């Protein structure tokens, strides 16, 4: 995703927030984005790397899987 796509998503979110006055849909969207989509995004970035490269940066590899585990663990609450 490039910078223009990100800015478009942010702008769309701001416009929707002004149009929709209720906070309830945004609370659910925030939970979905932070717990589900972020987990898949982190996992896809790790899955696209070569395993030899990941072994070289073991600590980062462990942190990524810790983030994924915590995100999936918090999703069930």
């Amino acid at each position: 995703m490039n910078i223009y796509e990100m800015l478009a998503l942010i702008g769309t979110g701001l416009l929707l927030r002004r149009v929709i006055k209720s906070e309830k849909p945004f609370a659910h969207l925030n939970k979905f984005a932070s717990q589900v989509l972020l987990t898949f995004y982190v996992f896809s970035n790790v899955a696209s790397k070569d395993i030899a490269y990941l072994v070289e940066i073991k600590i980062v590899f462990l942190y990524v899987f810790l983030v994924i585990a915590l995100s999936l663990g918090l999703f069930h609450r």
Side-chain angles (χ1 to χ4, degrees):
M1 180 175 287
N2 63 29
I3 189 72
Y4 299 113
E5 291 171 341
M6 285 188 234
L7 289 174
L9 282 174
I10 292 169
T12 304
L14 290 173
L15 287 173
L16 282 174
R17 192 131 197 175
R18 288 184 185 229
V19 171
I20 301 172
K21 300 298 181 189
S22 175
E23 290 291 322
K24 204 168 204 176
F26 294 105
H28 295 297
L29 184 62
N30 184 15
K31 188 174 185 178
F32 177 73
S34 63
Q35 293 180 351
V36 176
L37 295 179
L38 179 63
T39 302
F40 286 134
Y41 178 73
V42 170
F43 183 74
S44 69
N45 280 334
V46 171
S48 68
K49 303 294 182 201
D50 184 39
I51 193 71
Y53 173 74
L54 292 174
V55 169
E56 289 177 11
I57 54 170
K58 289 179 195 173
I59 192 74
V60 175
F61 187 63
L62 292 174
Y63 283 142
V64 165
F65 277 104
L66 182 63
V67 166
I68 291 170
L70 287 174
S71 294
L72 290 176
L74 294 174
F75 180 65
H76 295 292
R77 287 186 179 180

